Amino acid sequence: MDGAAEGEGIETVARLRAYIEGSQLTVDSRLPPERELSRALGVSRAGLRQALAVLESEGQIWRHVGKGTFIGTRPIATVSDIDAMVRRTNPAEVMRTRLLIEPEVARMAALNATPAQIAEMRACMTRSRAAATWRQYESWDNRLHRTIAEATQNALLVSLLDTLGAVRRAVAWGRLRVNKVKPEPDHHSFAEHEEIVAAIAERDRERAAETMRRHLETVERKLLGERRGA
Amino acid sequence: MDGAAEGEGIETVARLRAYIEGSQLTVDSRLPPERELSRALGVSRAGLRQALAVLESEGQIWRHVGKGTFIGTRPIATVSDIDAMVRRTNPAEVMRTRLLIEPEVARMAALNATPAQIAEMRACMTRSRAAATWRQYESWDNRLHRTIAEATQNALLVSLLDTLGAVRRAVAWGRLRVNKVKPEPDHHSFAEHEEIVAAIAERDRERAAETMRRHLETVERKLLGERRGA
DNA sequence: GCAATAACCAAAACGAGATTGGTCCCGGAG
DNA sequence: CTCCGGGACCAATCTCGTTTTGGTTATTGC
């Protein structure tokens, strides 16, 4: 079984390798469609596909329907499509990710925040306290967290957190907060936000990270814990 | 100057507000195109656009050519386009971001890594030691860091790190490593990788985070520090 | 003058048709 | 009977021309 048949397969693989080497096809370039390539190499399309499968398993090429066959390793999928990401994650993962990143962001913000940014944080808190609806409150809450992100003075980090925020908003937790129309004056976030911004203003990095961590843990409890409990 | 003319403008704004309230248009929904809406409200398109400009400055709506006019605040731009991000960041920001996130990722990996994942980490290290070219070394180095990310058991976090990695590869491109063809056997990363994986295998979260931090600091020095020095 | 109308522009969306990798089925050669 | 080649088909993707839409400028009418 392995004599002639496998020999033919190896022959096709070798011819394919020679073709790729011969043509000045570099990494990431597309090679001809299967129908065309099979004619050029004088093999059947099925035989060519077997040879391509070998090279793909070796990591030499990668293929995708509608796109073609490419030289090199398959490009990784980024969070370019928020909707695609939402289908693979859940609110718990979002909170774990926030807990992992945002305390360190607060620490870095305490180091680098400008006076203007600290002033904007305080303005966000004032406006969130005065919010008449949950929607307005969330708007100012988002802006507060984004201002803290901007205070790291790192554009890449801000974009990553924006992406995380987009996933957070898109992920299906469109429930909760159906009972009340607006935040209570003693809503837990108000005091916690005060502590975070105060720590940043005082340049106390450790306390900024710690208070942010406690804040997010409270949010996590309210969002996930109470759902199980109630 | 402000009597009749401004009065008319306010009148149009009021009529527009009434239209939005009246129609059951919710947040993020698109309202009719300007040409159509101006006919419906019985005002000129120019007058309507002035009224729309008022609502836009208030943050009630946002507009974009080719898309339309939408209710709510303008959606933020995520890291959907790697190339666009590359133009706004630099290698220093990439390293700062890695230093902020990846030690915590290692800490979380030490908590959640499966035996199979730890085995894959060791396989990556073995293969990176045996690499014949820098390209091969980087391939296994990337895969090692990605396996550590996967060990957090958090798909969202993995995607965010993939995005970060894509930016890193795009920004830190042609330079460095022009002098040697392959990694030295005593390359600093080898021993550092060993320490990180050992800490993860021993479930020592604190040491995993600390060794990862030291590893990235070494990479940062090699990448940025020596460039300034030499 | 000046505001309304129309005309034009570039960005985005839309849609029909062509491409392309992946799969299945049938017929013929060995 | 097995197995390979050919063809047809499928779904994802790309391509390209057309339409829609906000933004801008010129023209017209009072």
PDB file of all heavy atoms in Angstrom, chain D residues 4-17:
ATOM      1  P    DC D   4      -5.416   6.356  -4.314  1.00  0.00           P
ATOM      2  OP1  DC D   4      -4.068   6.017  -3.823  1.00  0.00           O
ATOM      3  OP2  DC D   4      -6.392   6.970  -3.402  1.00  0.00           O
ATOM      4  O5'  DC D   4      -5.267   7.282  -5.597  1.00  0.00           O
ATOM      5  C5'  DC D   4      -4.818   6.702  -6.824  1.00  0.00           C
ATOM      6  C4'  DC D   4      -5.634   7.258  -7.973  1.00  0.00           C
ATOM      7  O4'  DC D   4      -6.997   6.773  -7.893  1.00  0.00           O
ATOM      8  C3'  DC D   4      -5.723   8.782  -8.007  1.00  0.00           C
ATOM      9  O3'  DC D   4      -5.267   9.247  -9.257  1.00  0.00           O
ATOM     10  C2'  DC D   4      -7.209   9.080  -7.804  1.00  0.00           C
ATOM     11  C1'  DC D   4      -7.862   7.803  -8.319  1.00  0.00           C
ATOM     12  N1   DC D   4      -9.200   7.546  -7.761  1.00  0.00           N
ATOM     13  C2   DC D   4     -10.318   7.422  -8.629  1.00  0.00           C
ATOM     14  O2   DC D   4     -10.144   7.537  -9.855  1.00  0.00           O
ATOM     15  N3   DC D   4     -11.559   7.178  -8.107  1.00  0.00           N
ATOM     16  C4   DC D   4     -11.697   7.053  -6.781  1.00  0.00           C
ATOM     17  N4   DC D   4     -12.919   6.804  -6.316  1.00  0.00           N
ATOM     18  C5   DC D   4     -10.582   7.164  -5.897  1.00  0.00           C
ATOM     19  C6   DC D   4      -9.368   7.407  -6.412  1.00  0.00           C
ATOM     20  P    DG D   5      -4.892  10.820  -9.422  1.00  0.00           P
ATOM     21  OP1  DG D   5      -3.532  10.887  -9.997  1.00  0.00           O
ATOM     22  OP2  DG D   5      -5.209  11.501  -8.164  1.00  0.00           O
ATOM     23  O5'  DG D   5      -5.927  11.311 -10.536  1.00  0.00           O
ATOM     24  C5'  DG D   5      -5.989  10.630 -11.784  1.00  0.00           C
ATOM     25  C4'  DG D   5      -7.277  10.993 -12.496  1.00  0.00           C
ATOM     26  O4'  DG D   5      -8.397  10.452 -11.761  1.00  0.00           O
ATOM     27  C3'  DG D   5      -7.511  12.504 -12.623  1.00  0.00           C
ATOM     28  O3'  DG D   5      -7.850  12.814 -13.964  1.00  0.00           O
ATOM     29  C2'  DG D   5      -8.676  12.781 -11.663  1.00  0.00           C
ATOM     30  C1'  DG D   5      -9.395  11.449 -11.605  1.00  0.00           C
ATOM     31  N9   DG D   5     -10.052  11.192 -10.321  1.00  0.00           N
ATOM     32  C8   DG D   5      -9.449  11.202  -9.082  1.00  0.00           C
ATOM     33  N7   DG D   5     -10.277  10.924  -8.108  1.00  0.00           N
ATOM     34  C5   DG D   5     -11.496  10.726  -8.731  1.00  0.00           C
ATOM     35  C6   DG D   5     -12.758  10.403  -8.181  1.00  0.00           C
ATOM     36  O6   DG D   5     -13.059  10.220  -7.002  1.00  0.00           O
ATOM     37  N1   DG D   5     -13.740  10.286  -9.173  1.00  0.00           N
ATOM     38  C2   DG D   5     -13.509  10.471 -10.512  1.00  0.00           C
ATOM     39  N2   DG D   5     -14.571  10.321 -11.307  1.00  0.00           N
ATOM     40  N3   DG D   5     -12.329  10.772 -11.043  1.00  0.00           N
ATOM     41  C4   DG D   5     -11.372  10.885 -10.096  1.00  0.00           C
ATOM     42  P    DG D   6      -7.788  14.312 -14.469  1.00  0.00           P
ATOM     43  OP1  DG D   6      -7.172  14.309 -15.806  1.00  0.00           O
ATOM     44  OP2  DG D   6      -7.202  15.108 -13.395  1.00  0.00           O
ATOM     45  O5'  DG D   6      -9.322  14.700 -14.609  1.00  0.00           O
ATOM     46  C5'  DG D   6     -10.177  13.909 -15.414  1.00  0.00           C
ATOM     47  C4'  DG D   6     -11.617  14.152 -15.016  1.00  0.00           C
ATOM     48  O4'  DG D   6     -11.828  13.659 -13.671  1.00  0.00           O
ATOM     49  C3'  DG D   6     -12.027  15.630 -14.994  1.00  0.00           C
ATOM     50  O3'  DG D   6     -12.947  15.876 -16.057  1.00  0.00           O
ATOM     51  C2'  DG D   6     -12.656  15.844 -13.613  1.00  0.00           C
ATOM     52  C1'  DG D   6     -12.849  14.438 -13.080  1.00  0.00           C
ATOM     53  N9   DG D   6     -12.716  14.314 -11.640  1.00  0.00           N
ATOM     54  C8   DG D   6     -11.579  14.508 -10.888  1.00  0.00           C
ATOM     55  N7   DG D   6     -11.753  14.310  -9.615  1.00  0.00           N
ATOM     56  C5   DG D   6     -13.095  13.964  -9.506  1.00  0.00           C
ATOM     57  C6   DG D   6     -13.864  13.636  -8.355  1.00  0.00           C
ATOM     58  O6   DG D   6     -13.502  13.588  -7.185  1.00  0.00           O
ATOM     59  N1   DG D   6     -15.188  13.345  -8.699  1.00  0.00           N
ATOM     60  C2   DG D   6     -15.693  13.363  -9.975  1.00  0.00           C
ATOM     61  N2   DG D   6     -16.981  13.062 -10.107  1.00  0.00           N
ATOM     62  N3   DG D   6     -14.989  13.668 -11.056  1.00  0.00           N
ATOM     63  C4   DG D   6     -13.697  13.952 -10.747  1.00  0.00           C
ATOM     64  P    DG D   7     -13.304  17.350 -16.450  1.00  0.00           P
ATOM     65  OP1  DG D   7     -13.521  17.384 -17.911  1.00  0.00           O
ATOM     66  OP2  DG D   7     -12.311  18.229 -15.821  1.00  0.00           O
ATOM     67  O5'  DG D   7     -14.712  17.576 -15.732  1.00  0.00           O
ATOM     68  C5'  DG D   7     -15.731  16.608 -15.873  1.00  0.00           C
ATOM     69  C4'  DG D   7     -16.757  16.784 -14.771  1.00  0.00           C
ATOM     70  O4'  DG D   7     -16.162  16.387 -13.504  1.00  0.00           O
ATOM     71  C3'  DG D   7     -17.238  18.224 -14.573  1.00  0.00           C
ATOM     72  O3'  DG D   7     -18.601  18.341 -14.979  1.00  0.00           O
ATOM     73  C2'  DG D   7     -17.057  18.493 -13.066  1.00  0.00           C
ATOM     74  C1'  DG D   7     -16.791  17.118 -12.483  1.00  0.00           C
ATOM     75  N9   DG D   7     -15.889  17.140 -11.330  1.00  0.00           N
ATOM     76  C8   DG D   7     -14.564  17.484 -11.325  1.00  0.00           C
ATOM     77  N7   DG D   7     -14.007  17.386 -10.153  1.00  0.00           N
ATOM     78  C5   DG D   7     -15.029  16.961  -9.321  1.00  0.00           C
ATOM     79  C6   DG D   7     -15.027  16.689  -7.930  1.00  0.00           C
ATOM     80  O6   DG D   7     -14.091  16.776  -7.144  1.00  0.00           O
ATOM     81  N1   DG D   7     -16.283  16.271  -7.494  1.00  0.00           N
ATOM     82  C2   DG D   7     -17.391  16.143  -8.285  1.00  0.00           C
ATOM     83  N2   DG D   7     -18.503  15.728  -7.680  1.00  0.00           N
ATOM     84  N3   DG D   7     -17.408  16.391  -9.582  1.00  0.00           N
ATOM     85  C4   DG D   7     -16.201  16.792 -10.031  1.00  0.00           C
ATOM     86  P    DA D   8     -19.339  19.726 -14.971  1.00  0.00           P
ATOM     87  OP1  DA D   8     -20.306  19.728 -16.082  1.00  0.00           O
ATOM     88  OP2  DA D   8     -18.318  20.780 -14.862  1.00  0.00           O
ATOM     89  O5'  DA D   8     -20.163  19.682 -13.596  1.00  0.00           O
ATOM     90  C5'  DA D   8     -20.903  18.511 -13.275  1.00  0.00           C
ATOM     91  C4'  DA D   8     -21.431  18.607 -11.858  1.00  0.00           C
ATOM     92  O4'  DA D   8     -20.334  18.376 -10.931  1.00  0.00           O
ATOM     93  C3'  DA D   8     -22.024  19.978 -11.509  1.00  0.00           C
ATOM     94  O3'  DA D   8     -23.294  19.817 -10.888  1.00  0.00           O
ATOM     95  C2'  DA D   8     -21.001  20.588 -10.553  1.00  0.00           C
ATOM     96  C1'  DA D   8     -20.367  19.368  -9.920  1.00  0.00           C
ATOM     97  N9   DA D   8     -18.985  19.572  -9.475  1.00  0.00           N
ATOM     98  C8   DA D   8     -17.928  20.009 -10.234  1.00  0.00           C
ATOM     99  N7   DA D   8     -16.797  20.098  -9.578  1.00  0.00           N
ATOM    100  C5   DA D   8     -17.135  19.689  -8.297  1.00  0.00           C
ATOM    101  C6   DA D   8     -16.371  19.554  -7.126  1.00  0.00           C
ATOM    102  N6   DA D   8     -15.060  19.835  -7.054  1.00  0.00           N
ATOM    103  N1   DA D   8     -17.009  19.116  -6.012  1.00  0.00           N
ATOM    104  C2   DA D   8     -18.309  18.837  -6.096  1.00  0.00           C
ATOM    105  N3   DA D   8     -19.135  18.923  -7.142  1.00  0.00           N
ATOM    106  C4   DA D   8     -18.470  19.353  -8.223  1.00  0.00           C
ATOM    107  P    DC D   9     -24.219  21.099 -10.610  1.00  0.00           P
ATOM    108  OP1  DC D   9     -25.618  20.667 -10.768  1.00  0.00           O
ATOM    109  OP2  DC D   9     -23.678  22.231 -11.383  1.00  0.00           O
ATOM    110  O5'  DC D   9     -23.972  21.377  -9.070  1.00  0.00           O
ATOM    111  C5'  DC D   9     -24.126  20.312  -8.129  1.00  0.00           C
ATOM    112  C4'  DC D   9     -23.533  20.717  -6.801  1.00  0.00           C
ATOM    113  O4'  DC D   9     -22.092  20.732  -6.885  1.00  0.00           O
ATOM    114  C3'  DC D   9     -23.951  22.106  -6.296  1.00  0.00           C
ATOM    115  O3'  DC D   9     -24.663  21.975  -5.083  1.00  0.00           O
ATOM    116  C2'  DC D   9     -22.620  22.851  -6.108  1.00  0.00           C
ATOM    117  C1'  DC D   9     -21.620  21.705  -5.989  1.00  0.00           C
ATOM    118  N1   DC D   9     -20.234  22.051  -6.388  1.00  0.00           N
ATOM    119  C2   DC D   9     -19.211  21.993  -5.439  1.00  0.00           C
ATOM    120  O2   DC D   9     -19.482  21.642  -4.286  1.00  0.00           O
ATOM    121  N3   DC D   9     -17.944  22.310  -5.811  1.00  0.00           N
ATOM    122  C4   DC D   9     -17.694  22.678  -7.077  1.00  0.00           C
ATOM    123  N4   DC D   9     -16.434  22.972  -7.378  1.00  0.00           N
ATOM    124  C5   DC D   9     -18.716  22.753  -8.052  1.00  0.00           C
ATOM    125  C6   DC D   9     -19.967  22.438  -7.671  1.00  0.00           C
ATOM    126  P    DC D  10     -25.382  23.271  -4.450  1.00  0.00           P
ATOM    127  OP1  DC D  10     -26.661  22.827  -3.869  1.00  0.00           O
ATOM    128  OP2  DC D  10     -25.355  24.369  -5.439  1.00  0.00           O
ATOM    129  O5'  DC D  10     -24.416  23.668  -3.251  1.00  0.00           O
ATOM    130  C5'  DC D  10     -24.009  22.671  -2.323  1.00  0.00           C
ATOM    131  C4'  DC D  10     -23.050  23.270  -1.287  1.00  0.00           C
ATOM    132  O4'  DC D  10     -21.718  23.321  -1.838  1.00  0.00           O
ATOM    133  C3'  DC D  10     -23.415  24.695  -0.868  1.00  0.00           C
ATOM    134  O3'  DC D  10     -23.460  24.781   0.541  1.00  0.00           O
ATOM    135  C2'  DC D  10     -22.302  25.564  -1.459  1.00  0.00           C
ATOM    136  C1'  DC D  10     -21.132  24.582  -1.563  1.00  0.00           C
ATOM    137  N1   DC D  10     -20.190  24.895  -2.672  1.00  0.00           N
ATOM    138  C2   DC D  10     -18.842  25.098  -2.388  1.00  0.00           C
ATOM    139  O2   DC D  10     -18.454  25.013  -1.224  1.00  0.00           O
ATOM    140  N3   DC D  10     -17.999  25.373  -3.419  1.00  0.00           N
ATOM    141  C4   DC D  10     -18.463  25.456  -4.662  1.00  0.00           C
ATOM    142  N4   DC D  10     -17.601  25.724  -5.628  1.00  0.00           N
ATOM    143  C5   DC D  10     -19.843  25.253  -4.966  1.00  0.00           C
ATOM    144  C6   DC D  10     -20.664  24.979  -3.944  1.00  0.00           C
ATOM    145  P    DA D  11     -24.329  25.925   1.236  1.00  0.00           P
ATOM    146  OP1  DA D  11     -25.170  25.326   2.279  1.00  0.00           O
ATOM    147  OP2  DA D  11     -24.933  26.753   0.162  1.00  0.00           O
ATOM    148  O5'  DA D  11     -23.198  26.784   1.944  1.00  0.00           O
ATOM    149  C5'  DA D  11     -22.256  26.131   2.786  1.00  0.00           C
ATOM    150  C4'  DA D  11     -21.008  26.985   2.926  1.00  0.00           C
ATOM    151  O4'  DA D  11     -20.296  27.044   1.668  1.00  0.00           O
ATOM    152  C3'  DA D  11     -21.277  28.445   3.329  1.00  0.00           C
ATOM    153  O3'  DA D  11     -20.314  28.846   4.288  1.00  0.00           O
ATOM    154  C2'  DA D  11     -21.110  29.202   2.021  1.00  0.00           C
ATOM    155  C1'  DA D  11     -20.023  28.385   1.341  1.00  0.00           C
ATOM    156  N9   DA D  11     -20.028  28.500  -0.116  1.00  0.00           N
ATOM    157  C8   DA D  11     -21.114  28.526  -0.945  1.00  0.00           C
ATOM    158  N7   DA D  11     -20.806  28.627  -2.216  1.00  0.00           N
ATOM    159  C5   DA D  11     -19.420  28.674  -2.224  1.00  0.00           C
ATOM    160  C6   DA D  11     -18.480  28.770  -3.257  1.00  0.00           C
ATOM    161  N6   DA D  11     -18.809  28.862  -4.550  1.00  0.00           N
ATOM    162  N1   DA D  11     -17.172  28.783  -2.905  1.00  0.00           N
ATOM    163  C2   DA D  11     -16.840  28.700  -1.605  1.00  0.00           C
ATOM    164  N3   DA D  11     -17.633  28.596  -0.548  1.00  0.00           N
ATOM    165  C4   DA D  11     -18.928  28.583  -0.932  1.00  0.00           C
ATOM    166  P    DA D  12     -20.574  30.125   5.208  1.00  0.00           P
ATOM    167  OP1  DA D  12     -20.693  29.660   6.604  1.00  0.00           O
ATOM    168  OP2  DA D  12     -21.651  30.941   4.582  1.00  0.00           O
ATOM    169  O5'  DA D  12     -19.205  30.925   5.065  1.00  0.00           O
ATOM    170  C5'  DA D  12     -17.983  30.233   5.231  1.00  0.00           C
ATOM    171  C4'  DA D  12     -16.890  30.922   4.438  1.00  0.00           C
ATOM    172  O4'  DA D  12     -17.138  30.749   3.022  1.00  0.00           O
ATOM    173  C3'  DA D  12     -16.797  32.439   4.673  1.00  0.00           C
ATOM    174  O3'  DA D  12     -15.466  32.773   5.023  1.00  0.00           O
ATOM    175  C2'  DA D  12     -17.221  33.058   3.336  1.00  0.00           C
ATOM    176  C1'  DA D  12     -16.858  31.962   2.353  1.00  0.00           C
ATOM    177  N9   DA D  12     -17.672  31.975   1.133  1.00  0.00           N
ATOM    178  C8   DA D  12     -19.031  31.895   1.043  1.00  0.00           C
ATOM    179  N7   DA D  12     -19.492  31.919  -0.190  1.00  0.00           N
ATOM    180  C5   DA D  12     -18.349  32.014  -0.962  1.00  0.00           C
ATOM    181  C6   DA D  12     -18.153  32.081  -2.361  1.00  0.00           C
ATOM    182  N6   DA D  12     -19.153  32.066  -3.243  1.00  0.00           N
ATOM    183  N1   DA D  12     -16.877  32.169  -2.804  1.00  0.00           N
ATOM    184  C2   DA D  12     -15.876  32.196  -1.911  1.00  0.00           C
ATOM    185  N3   DA D  12     -15.942  32.133  -0.581  1.00  0.00           N
ATOM    186  C4   DA D  12     -17.219  32.046  -0.162  1.00  0.00           C
ATOM    187  P    DT D  13     -15.123  34.247   5.500  1.00  0.00           P
ATOM    188  OP1  DT D  13     -13.986  34.151   6.429  1.00  0.00           O
ATOM    189  OP2  DT D  13     -16.386  34.877   5.912  1.00  0.00           O
ATOM    190  O5'  DT D  13     -14.608  34.959   4.170  1.00  0.00           O
ATOM    191  C5'  DT D  13     -13.531  34.371   3.441  1.00  0.00           C
ATOM    192  C4'  DT D  13     -13.393  35.020   2.092  1.00  0.00           C
ATOM    193  O4'  DT D  13     -14.523  34.701   1.259  1.00  0.00           O
ATOM    194  C3'  DT D  13     -13.327  36.557   2.113  1.00  0.00           C
ATOM    195  O3'  DT D  13     -11.980  36.951   1.913  1.00  0.00           O
ATOM    196  C2'  DT D  13     -14.251  36.996   0.981  1.00  0.00           C
ATOM    197  C1'  DT D  13     -14.568  35.695   0.255  1.00  0.00           C
ATOM    198  N1   DT D  13     -15.905  35.630  -0.372  1.00  0.00           N
ATOM    199  C2   DT D  13     -15.993  35.593  -1.742  1.00  0.00           C
ATOM    200  O2   DT D  13     -15.016  35.630  -2.466  1.00  0.00           O
ATOM    201  N3   DT D  13     -17.288  35.521  -2.242  1.00  0.00           N
ATOM    202  C4   DT D  13     -18.461  35.470  -1.510  1.00  0.00           C
ATOM    203  O4   DT D  13     -19.553  35.410  -2.064  1.00  0.00           O
ATOM    204  C5   DT D  13     -18.295  35.522  -0.079  1.00  0.00           C
ATOM    205  C7   DT D  13     -19.499  35.477   0.800  1.00  0.00           C
ATOM    206  C6   DT D  13     -17.042  35.592   0.416  1.00  0.00           C
ATOM    207  P    DC D  14     -11.597  38.499   1.890  1.00  0.00           P
ATOM    208  OP1  DC D  14     -10.189  38.581   2.330  1.00  0.00           O
ATOM    209  OP2  DC D  14     -12.634  39.276   2.568  1.00  0.00           O
ATOM    210  O5'  DC D  14     -11.646  38.844   0.321  1.00  0.00           O
ATOM    211  C5'  DC D  14     -10.930  38.007  -0.585  1.00  0.00           C
ATOM    212  C4'  DC D  14     -11.303  38.355  -2.016  1.00  0.00           C
ATOM    213  O4'  DC D  14     -12.683  38.016  -2.259  1.00  0.00           O
ATOM    214  C3'  DC D  14     -11.155  39.843  -2.365  1.00  0.00           C
ATOM    215  O3'  DC D  14     -10.392  39.950  -3.550  1.00  0.00           O
ATOM    216  C2'  DC D  14     -12.600  40.312  -2.556  1.00  0.00           C
ATOM    217  C1'  DC D  14     -13.281  39.035  -3.025  1.00  0.00           C
ATOM    218  N1   DC D  14     -14.747  38.996  -2.772  1.00  0.00           N
ATOM    219  C2   DC D  14     -15.633  38.858  -3.851  1.00  0.00           C
ATOM    220  O2   DC D  14     -15.178  38.781  -4.996  1.00  0.00           O
ATOM    221  N3   DC D  14     -16.977  38.813  -3.609  1.00  0.00           N
ATOM    222  C4   DC D  14     -17.430  38.890  -2.355  1.00  0.00           C
ATOM    223  N4   DC D  14     -18.735  38.832  -2.166  1.00  0.00           N
ATOM    224  C5   DC D  14     -16.533  39.021  -1.241  1.00  0.00           C
ATOM    225  C6   DC D  14     -15.217  39.070  -1.494  1.00  0.00           C
ATOM    226  P    DT D  15      -9.808  41.380  -3.993  1.00  0.00           P
ATOM    227  OP1  DT D  15      -8.444  41.133  -4.505  1.00  0.00           O
ATOM    228  OP2  DT D  15     -10.017  42.336  -2.891  1.00  0.00           O
ATOM    229  O5'  DT D  15     -10.742  41.807  -5.211  1.00  0.00           O
ATOM    230  C5'  DT D  15     -11.176  40.819  -6.133  1.00  0.00           C
ATOM    231  C4'  DT D  15     -12.181  41.413  -7.106  1.00  0.00           C
ATOM    232  O4'  DT D  15     -13.532  41.184  -6.617  1.00  0.00           O
ATOM    233  C3'  DT D  15     -12.057  42.923  -7.312  1.00  0.00           C
ATOM    234  O3'  DT D  15     -12.071  43.195  -8.694  1.00  0.00           O
ATOM    235  C2'  DT D  15     -13.272  43.487  -6.596  1.00  0.00           C
ATOM    236  C1'  DT D  15     -14.284  42.369  -6.747  1.00  0.00           C
ATOM    237  N1   DT D  15     -15.353  42.335  -5.705  1.00  0.00           N
ATOM    238  C2   DT D  15     -16.657  42.136  -6.102  1.00  0.00           C
ATOM    239  O2   DT D  15     -16.995  42.004  -7.257  1.00  0.00           O
ATOM    240  N3   DT D  15     -17.568  42.110  -5.064  1.00  0.00           N
ATOM    241  C4   DT D  15     -17.304  42.253  -3.709  1.00  0.00           C
ATOM    242  O4   DT D  15     -18.204  42.214  -2.881  1.00  0.00           O
ATOM    243  C5   DT D  15     -15.911  42.465  -3.384  1.00  0.00           C
ATOM    244  C7   DT D  15     -15.517  42.638  -1.951  1.00  0.00           C
ATOM    245  C6   DT D  15     -15.009  42.493  -4.381  1.00  0.00           C
ATOM    246  P    DC D  16     -11.461  44.605  -9.201  1.00  0.00           P
ATOM    247  OP1  DC D  16     -10.532  44.311 -10.313  1.00  0.00           O
ATOM    248  OP2  DC D  16     -11.011  45.404  -8.047  1.00  0.00           O
ATOM    249  O5'  DC D  16     -12.755  45.297  -9.822  1.00  0.00           O
ATOM    250  C5'  DC D  16     -13.690  44.508 -10.545  1.00  0.00           C
ATOM    251  C4'  DC D  16     -15.048  45.172 -10.522  1.00  0.00           C
ATOM    252  O4'  DC D  16     -15.724  44.866  -9.279  1.00  0.00           O
ATOM    253  C3'  DC D  16     -14.996  46.703 -10.605  1.00  0.00           C
ATOM    254  O3'  DC D  16     -15.971  47.149 -11.530  1.00  0.00           O
ATOM    255  C2'  DC D  16     -15.336  47.145  -9.184  1.00  0.00           C
ATOM    256  C1'  DC D  16     -16.319  46.044  -8.790  1.00  0.00           C
ATOM    257  N1   DC D  16     -16.533  45.914  -7.326  1.00  0.00           N
ATOM    258  C2   DC D  16     -17.799  45.539  -6.855  1.00  0.00           C
ATOM    259  O2   DC D  16     -18.703  45.319  -7.663  1.00  0.00           O
ATOM    260  N3   DC D  16     -17.996  45.418  -5.515  1.00  0.00           N
ATOM    261  C4   DC D  16     -16.987  45.666  -4.673  1.00  0.00           C
ATOM    262  N4   DC D  16     -17.223  45.527  -3.368  1.00  0.00           N
ATOM    263  C5   DC D  16     -15.683  46.051  -5.139  1.00  0.00           C
ATOM    264  C6   DC D  16     -15.512  46.168  -6.464  1.00  0.00           C
ATOM    265  P    DG D  17     -15.685  48.517 -12.288  1.00  0.00           P
ATOM    266  OP1  DG D  17     -15.021  48.148 -13.538  1.00  0.00           O
ATOM    267  OP2  DG D  17     -15.044  49.491 -11.368  1.00  0.00           O
ATOM    268  O5'  DG D  17     -17.161  49.021 -12.610  1.00  0.00           O
ATOM    269  C5'  DG D  17     -18.139  48.080 -13.065  1.00  0.00           C
ATOM    270  C4'  DG D  17     -19.462  48.329 -12.358  1.00  0.00           C
ATOM    271  O4'  DG D  17     -19.342  47.975 -10.959  1.00  0.00           O
ATOM    272  C3'  DG D  17     -19.937  49.796 -12.394  1.00  0.00           C
ATOM    273  O3'  DG D  17     -21.274  49.843 -12.848  1.00  0.00           O
ATOM    274  C2'  DG D  17     -19.780  50.262 -10.947  1.00  0.00           C
ATOM    275  C1'  DG D  17     -19.970  48.967 -10.166  1.00  0.00           C
ATOM    276  N9   DG D  17     -19.350  48.971  -8.849  1.00  0.00           N
ATOM    277  C8   DG D  17     -18.032  49.219  -8.557  1.00  0.00           C
ATOM    278  N7   DG D  17     -17.758  49.144  -7.273  1.00  0.00           N
ATOM    279  C5   DG D  17     -18.974  48.823  -6.692  1.00  0.00           C
ATOM    280  C6   DG D  17     -19.307  48.602  -5.333  1.00  0.00           C
ATOM    281  O6   DG D  17     -18.570  48.651  -4.345  1.00  0.00           O
ATOM    282  N1   DG D  17     -20.677  48.300  -5.182  1.00  0.00           N
ATOM    283  C2   DG D  17     -21.572  48.218  -6.198  1.00  0.00           C
ATOM    284  N2   DG D  17     -22.823  47.918  -5.841  1.00  0.00           N
ATOM    285  N3   DG D  17     -21.281  48.415  -7.470  1.00  0.00           N
ATOM    286  C4   DG D  17     -19.959  48.709  -7.648  1.00  0.00           C
TER     287       DG D  17
END
